[in-house]
Amino acid sequence: MTSTKTKIANFEFDNCIMNAAGVLCYDKDELAKILNSAAGTFVTKTATLEPREGNPEPRYHDTRLGSINSMGLPNLGFDYYLDYLLELKKTHPKRTFFFSLVGMSQNDTHTLLRKVQESNFDGITELNLSCPNVPGKPQIAYDLETTEKLLTDIFSYFKKPLGIKLPPYFDLVHFDQAAAVFNKFPLSFVNCVNSIGNGIIIEDEKVVIKPKNGFGGIGGEYVKPTALANVHAFYQRLKPSIQIIGTGGILSGRDAFEHILCGASMVQIGTTLHKEGVSAFSRITSELKEIMEKKGYKSIEEFKGKLKYL
């Protein structure tokens, strides 16, 4: 039997396909749709310490090749998602979920992670170091000195499984430098990539979203080559204990296959999920299995990271 099972941080998942933070995960109703779909698990909306309304609308726009957004982290606050995850543990004790977090300051980040450490949450935490759409807030992961200091402080008290969501890097030297920092820490995974920050989409001579005069994160088909490059660059450079989650431009089983071929242990669906709904999970899973069967692969481990070069 062909299987798309995978492991992240020693937790097993029946399917390597899940949602990307920010899509169909704002509240319990949306998360329940993913819970009852073909997805292997879900990640919550990236939570801040307090609830946030986010940026003014329109702040998301579908395009032919993907999407643009400047959401500004709308979410129901840390406590809402933690309470839901603890509730789920009672009804789905054998399943593992991802809790996405971001601090609006470094102090906030530590407050959030200390709360997780002190709680009964026993899943996987994803710290978002790559929010490109909050006015006045830079992406932390582009400042590697700050990132190293932050991770040093975090791992002095945080002992649960933790991974980081990354922005795309574009220079081979930056891959080297970033990996050198990440390899110093007991990270469970890195997630490559968040949207490509600060693009503009124009229709009828005007921008299509309101925040930041139209500047927003680009997702979907546009970003797949960049996402694949980031997945493979970090697969080549990170110690084996740090796994890769591939995100960006997954419209089909073929796209998921390529992410895994580049080194991803799990893949996340964003723009396609927004456009298509939860049926995307079963469709993409079926397409991935079909490719695996044609090539004679029984598990994703048989081809993960085995990209061929000329």
Side-chain angles (χ1 to χ4, degrees):
M1 286 289 290
T2 302
S3 169
T4 56
K5 284 185 177 180
T6 194
K7 271 187 177 182
I8 296 279
N10 292 320
F11 292 105
E12 290 192 357
F13 300 92
D14 286 341
N15 191 0
C16 63
I17 297 170
M18 61 181 291
N19 69 306
V23 185
L24 215 62
C25 57
Y26 178 75
D27 59 20
K28 295 178 186 181
D29 292 341
E30 291 188 349
L31 288 164
K33 289 178 183 175
I34 302 177
L35 181 70
N36 297 311
S37 75
T41 182
F42 67 63
V43 58
T44 63
K45 186 78 177 75
T46 301
T48 50
L49 204 49
E50 303 296 335
R52 283 175 59 89
E53 287 187 12
N55 291 340
E57 295 184 351
R59 58 194 185 188
Y60 179 97
H61 189 84
D62 283 324
T63 68
R64 188 173 63 83
L65 292 175
S67 63
I68 183 170
N69 86 87
S70 182
M71 302 299 289
L73 291 171
N75 74 95
L76 294 167
F78 174 88
D79 290 337
Y80 178 92
Y81 301 104
L82 178 61
D83 289 347
Y84 178 59
L85 289 164
L86 295 179
E87 269 177 46
L88 273 188
K89 199 63 192 173
K90 296 171 190 170
T91 54
H92 296 77
K94 294 184 177 175
R95 294 194 66 179
T96 303
F97 303 100
F98 289 73
F99 190 6
S100 178
L101 302 172
V102 69
M104 301 308 290
S105 67
Q106 286 195 39
N107 282 342
D108 274 7
T109 298
H110 292 304
T111 301
L112 290 164
L113 289 173
R114 286 183 190 279
K115 281 175 176 278
V116 174
Q117 180 62 37
E118 291 160 10
S119 76
N120 291 323
F121 175 65
D122 60 357
I124 304 172
T125 304
E126 176 177 277
L127 179 61
N128 191 340
L129 297 183
S130 60
C131 286
N133 299 315
V134 178
K137 300 285 182 183
Q139 296 193 57
I140 294 171
Y142 284 149
D143 181 342
L144 290 172
E145 195 175 321
T146 297
T147 297
E148 183 169 357
K149 173 71 167 66
L150 181 64
L151 292 175
T152 300
D153 293 343
I154 286 167
F155 283 110
S156 70
Y157 61 85
F158 197 83
K159 306 304 176 189
K160 296 182 176 183
L162 177 72
I164 50 177
K165 179 78 171 274
L166 296 175
Y169 295 94
F170 300 99
D171 195 301
L172 293 178
V173 172
H174 294 154
F175 291 127
D176 293 340
Q177 292 169 342
V181 170
F182 303 150
N183 278 332
K184 293 179 182 179
F185 301 99
L187 290 164
S188 296
F189 67 89
V190 299
N191 187 342
C192 309
V193 293
N194 206 332
S195 55
I196 297 178
N198 296 314
I200 284 180
I201 301 289
I202 298 169
E203 290 180 4
D204 299 324
E205 298 184 33
K206 63 177 183 289
V207 297
V208 295
I209 57 173
K210 185 172 183 177
K212 294 167 41 178
N213 290 330
F215 284 78
I218 301 296
E221 198 171 348
Y222 299 107
V223 309
K224 191 179 88 166
T226 297
L228 292 176
N230 276 256
V231 167
H232 196 57
F234 282 116
Y235 183 79
Q236 291 172 310
R237 290 164 173 80
L238 293 178
K239 57 190 179 184
S241 59
I242 304 178
Q243 291 168 283
I244 318 283
I245 295 177
T247 307
I250 298 171
L251 284 72
S252 68
R254 176 74 198 182
D255 301 323
F257 179 84
E258 289 178 6
H259 268 267
I260 297 164
L261 192 67
C262 283
S265 296
M266 199 149 209
V267 296
Q268 294 185 347
I269 316 293
T271 298
T272 297
L273 179 60
H274 187 276
K275 290 182 176 184
E276 191 174 325
V278 294
S279 62
F281 293 125
S282 54
R283 176 183 61 78
I284 292 170
T285 302
S286 296
E287 291 170 359
L288 173 58
K289 283 184 173 179
E290 195 176 314
I291 293 167
M292 289 169 65
E293 283 164 8
K294 280 182 181 172
K295 292 178 177 290
Y297 296 128
K298 295 267 189 290
S299 74
I300 69 169
E301 289 300 321
E302 292 178 18
F303 64 96
K304 186 177 79 177
K306 295 183 179 172
L307 181 65
K308 298 168 185 171
Y309 311 125
L310 300 181

